[in-house]
Amino acid sequence: MPRKFFDQKLQNLNRDLTEVGTLVNSRIGDTIEALRGMDLKLAAEVVAGDSEIDRAQHSIEQECVQLLALQQPIATDLRVIASCLKIITDIERVADQCADICEIITTGELRANSMLVSHVIQMLETARGMFGRAMDVFLSRNVEEARNVCKEDDAVDSMFSKIVLEVCGNITQAPQNVMREVDLMFVAKYIERMADHATNIAEWVIYMETGEHPDLNAG
């Protein structure tokens, strides 16, 4: 394959992956709105739309395989293609977690406007900001900014710990609501995982540019 054609295929891969990231970012926004208003219809739409992300993941994986098969890539190309394979997996898992949260919302057990739900929404907004910035650094290849994204994971972890304490306190005070509180615990855990995936994306950007894959997501 001529190098010019190969470079165009790499650009197409970057474009397609970015488009999926933008779609998933929108799904996170829908999940926030579904949580804020306990909107069962919107939550169901997020759940139903997860298969679209799965198809996009499969398509991008096929693009990566074809790029590897059509030409023997140089080392920097290999890093980009391998990183894209990892990044699309992280993006798809963020979409899965949106669907998981929205499945919980569709049960209708959570209460809108409770203090704990507002804290969960704040945590999700923070994780969404991380995800958006991680996708930005995928485009810019800005290693320093990628490291800054990774640092934000500590804030999400701190929010998660506080929510766990709140949930435990609520269960102690009103044990009859234990299932609803446990659902919120699951929601918070899904959000914590979203932040981890955003960190993973930023780490793969660092690998693309430097050839080193730091573990900035430990703990």
Side-chain angles (χ1 to χ4, degrees), residues 1-18:
M1 178 191 294
R3 182 70 213 188
K4 184 177 180 181
F5 184 61
F6 185 80
D7 288 341
Q8 183 60 54
K9 289 290 187 180
L10 278 179
Q11 290 176 20
N12 292 346
L13 174 62
N14 287 336
R15 179 202 64 207
D16 293 344
L17 196 149
T18 300

Side-chain angles (χ1 to χ4, degrees), residues 130 134 146 149-153 194-204 216-217:
M130 281 185 68
V149 171
C150 297
K151 291 175 184 177
E152 294 177 41
D153 190 49
M194 286 184 189
D196 287 345
H197 290 305
T199 300
N200 291 345
I201 292 168
E203 288 176 354
W204 284 112
L216 302 175
N217 202 16

